[in-house]
Amino acid sequence: MEPKKVAIIGAGVSGLVACKFTLSKGFIPIVFEARGDIGGVWTETLQTTALQTPKKLYEFSDFPWPKSVTEDFPKYDKVVDYIKSYADHFGLLKHIRFNTKVQSIDCEGCSDEELEGWTLWGGTGEAFSERRKWRINVVDARTNVPLEEVVVDFVILCIGRFSDVPNIPEFPPNGGPEAFKAGKVLHSLQYSALDFDSASNLIKDKQVTVIGFQKSGLDLAMECANVNGPKKPCTVVYRTAHWTIPDFCPWGIPIGFLYMNRFSQLLIHKPGESFLLYLLAILLSPIRWLFSKIVETHVMKKHRLSKYGMVPDQSFLQDMSSCLFATLPEKLYEKVDEGSIILKKSPSFVFCEEGIMIEGETKPIPSDLVILATGFRGDQKLKQIFTSSTLRDYMTFHDPAVPMYRLCIHPRIPQLAVVGYSESASNLFTSEMRCRWLAEFLDGTFKLPSIKEMEKDIAEWDKCIKLYSGPYFNRGCIATWHVCYCDQLCKDMGWNPNRKKGFLADLFLPYGPADYASP
């Protein structure tokens, strides 16, 4: 029997690990990458960008960082080198078609009525069907000239959640970017695509206003402050203060001991938990509160948040459960003190002729350049890639993260998986575990449960995440449930979920990529 062909769309971190693990099972991976290089979002980033998590967490389980990289939070160039070394080591480059953009994918061999009538995924709960195929429509990314269509047995979408489609806020009439006459408006996506010299020249000697205070906004503010200093301060407009941690060791305690071990999972409610575990999470809730306070008091003392009016209203646990926490760039508040960065909190803003006008103020913020660090609409990319209007409807939701079983399988779309649309304390770690699980599924190690059971499981995950994230609900965030989630994947694959030696070690030591290097 001929090996099955698996199309992998995207050669970022998720696409590379998907290629590696499908290859290890004897499948033929065909990786389509629109850019001319691997690395995904790391190929177009800011000069100041560094890892948000310690490299020990952002690591391939079977390919450690080189000893020459000594810092805990390496800069973007070392991350790119590490990713390229991984691809070279496992011989992945020969399976990648560079500068090849996938325009659309089309499922052949099943009707809309058949899709609606299934009780099992794909009708059988198995990965493949001989009569169903995916047709991949591709063009040359440099010339837009159509290339030969490719027919495959399975598709893995690794097209990324934080790229390509910017999230642009909605504005009232005459309040959008068209009202801004004095300068230019960019999204962080456009700024990141510039080479470093062009980016520096663009902001040099300009009054820059950055909208947003998550990872991109933080890095943009630092970049502007470094270039212009207090002579041309960068104004940062944000709606909500979130917890920006200075390091991963609050009060000297590695954060993994608070949130990434098995004991931490006993403190929270989990999908499908027994009554005993439900009761235990209630009884241990004071410890859950204490862990959150340990992080909060550390951040408040180190950053003097009260001085800057930056104390969040919500707990650190709520931010972590929504994946809204970030690592603060070094010396950011020193830049605030020297006048290079000005912080402005406002629930809304509109553009005006001179710049932007924020709610609660009567004078505009004069600007030469406004950069929107307002995130991305990865859900739109997922939706738009399908030729079928029915499949597009299945991928249409009000939340940027589509509800999927094990965070990668849509219960109604056969022979397709999505990797890289969830968030955790380490997205590489999560993607690698998911690709291991997916490779075992493709290899027939297990079948999927019924569609009804999968939808019930998705609903249970949503319920737990909403319980702790509140108004910032993000169904793609499993940062608080990382060990629990990996346990589910291990049980499906027939692995022992307890990865440590000894009861106490398994209960209290933090879990990391190296714990899952082999079955």
Side-chain angles (χ1 to χ4, degrees), residues 3 20 55 75 85 137 154 197 252-253 389 410 421 462 513:
K20 190 245 183 184
K55 68 177 188 289
K75 286 193 69 174
S85 297
N137 304 297
F154 200 95
D197 288 339
I253 305 170
S389 59
H410 193 293
Y421 270 71
D462 279 5

Side-chain angles (χ1 to χ4, degrees), residues 404-458:
M404 290 179 281
Y405 180 70
R406 298 295 189 254
L407 294 176
C408 68
I409 295 289
H410 193 293
R412 292 284 174 183
I413 303 179
Q415 292 169 231
L416 178 136
V418 180
V419 178
Y421 270 71
S422 67
E423 299 177 71
S424 70
S426 170
N427 291 339
L428 184 153
F429 183 1
T430 308
S431 286
E432 188 182 36
M433 278 301 294
R434 195 165 299 131
C435 287
R436 283 183 176 275
W437 179 89
L438 190 55
E440 293 293 340
F441 170 57
L442 296 179
D443 201 35
T445 301
F446 59 92
K447 291 184 180 182
L448 296 180
S450 70
I451 291 174
K452 187 176 180 179
E453 288 175 293
M454 287 195 284
E455 290 174 342
K456 179 183 176 184
D457 184 82
I458 292 167

Side-chain angles (χ1 to χ4, degrees), residues 47-64:
Q47 194 168 5
T48 53
T49 299
L51 271 183
Q52 281 280 286
T53 52
K55 68 177 188 289
K56 189 176 180 181
L57 283 178
Y58 196 91
E59 180 178 80
F60 299 104
S61 64
D62 51 2
F63 192 75

Side-chain angles (χ1 to χ4, degrees), residues 182-390:
K184 191 175 184 180
V185 180
L186 293 178
H187 189 272
S188 60
L189 170 70
Q190 296 164 292
Y191 183 86
S192 298
L194 299 173
D195 62 75
F196 296 149
D197 288 339
S198 298
S200 181
N201 289 332
L202 178 65
I203 62 177
K204 188 176 181 179
D205 296 325
K206 287 189 176 70
Q207 202 80 49
V208 182
T209 299
V210 174
I211 309 297
F213 203 57
Q214 282 296 296
K215 174 59 179 167
S216 295
L218 294 168
D219 285 345
L220 281 165
M222 281 300 293
E223 199 145 304
C224 293
N226 289 335
V227 171
N228 292 327
K231 291 182 179 179
K232 292 283 185 178
C234 173
T235 302
V236 179
V237 178
Y238 66 97
R239 185 169 52 191
T240 305
H242 291 286
W243 292 100
T244 49
I245 57 178
D247 51 58
F248 270 64
C249 283
W251 300 110
I253 305 170
I255 205 166
F257 283 93
L258 305 179
Y259 290 104
M260 294 195 71
N261 60 7
R262 199 167 291 285
F263 178 71
S264 70
Q265 305 296 278
L266 298 176
L267 311 181
I268 55 174
H269 293 293
K270 298 167 287 298
E273 66 188 355
S274 65
F275 177 75
L276 180 61
L277 289 176
Y278 170 82
L279 186 61
L280 192 60
I282 294 175
L283 294 174
L284 295 178
S285 60
I287 300 177
R288 183 175 70 231
W289 174 87
L290 175 64
F291 283 2
S292 191
K293 286 300 175 185
I294 288 172
V295 179
E296 292 166 25
T297 54
H298 174 71
V299 177
M300 289 176 66
K301 182 177 185 297
K302 193 152 187 175
H303 290 329
R304 299 175 295 164
L305 295 185
S306 298
K307 173 184 176 181
Y308 305 104
M310 293 297 292
V311 180
D313 295 327
Q314 69 282 0
S315 68
F316 175 75
L317 175 63
Q318 193 171 20
D319 270 0
M320 184 165 181
S321 300
S322 315
C323 289
L324 287 175
F325 66 100
T327 304
L328 194 75
E330 192 176 356
K331 299 183 179 179
L332 184 136
Y333 283 112
E334 290 182 23
K335 295 294 183 182
V336 176
D337 285 335
E338 72 179 28
S340 297
I341 296 175
I342 299 171
L343 302 174
K344 294 273 189 180
K345 183 177 181 179
S346 176
S348 64
F349 75 97
V350 293
F351 283 92
C352 60
E353 189 170 331
E354 301 92 342
I356 68 166
M357 181 72 74
I358 65 174
E359 188 177 323
E361 294 197 6
T362 56
K363 292 183 179 180
I365 299 173
S367 309
D368 301 309
L369 176 66
V370 177
I371 305 178
L372 302 173
T374 49
F376 299 87
R377 290 298 307 272
D379 59 319
Q380 292 297 316
K381 283 198 295 182
L382 284 180
K383 175 182 175 180
Q384 291 164 4
I385 202 168
F386 295 98
T387 301
S388 163
S389 59
T390 299

Side-chain angles (χ1 to χ4, degrees), residues 500-518:
K500 307 283 189 182
K501 292 183 178 179
F503 174 76
L504 292 178
D506 194 63
L507 185 62
F508 293 111
L509 289 182
Y511 268 70
D515 293 306
Y516 300 92
S518 62

Side-chain angles (χ1 to χ4, degrees), residues 124-195:
T124 62
E126 296 179 342
F128 300 104
S129 166
E130 289 302 323
R131 67 184 184 86
R132 272 193 307 274
K133 305 287 182 182
W134 283 96
R135 186 171 295 275
I136 316 296
N137 304 297
V138 294
V139 298
D140 187 307
R142 297 159 296 188
T143 64
N144 217 37
V145 173
L147 302 175
E148 184 180 355
E149 291 183 330
V150 180
V151 177
V152 298
D153 300 284
F154 200 95
V155 172
I156 306 176
L157 296 178
C158 302
I159 53 181
R161 182 174 169 181
F162 304 107
S163 61
D164 299 330
V165 181
N167 178 45
I168 305 297
E170 293 184 1
F171 299 98
N174 302 316
E178 71 282 352
F180 181 39
K181 308 297 183 183
K184 191 175 184 180
V185 180
L186 293 178
H187 189 272
S188 60
L189 170 70
Q190 296 164 292
Y191 183 86
S192 298
L194 299 173
D195 62 75

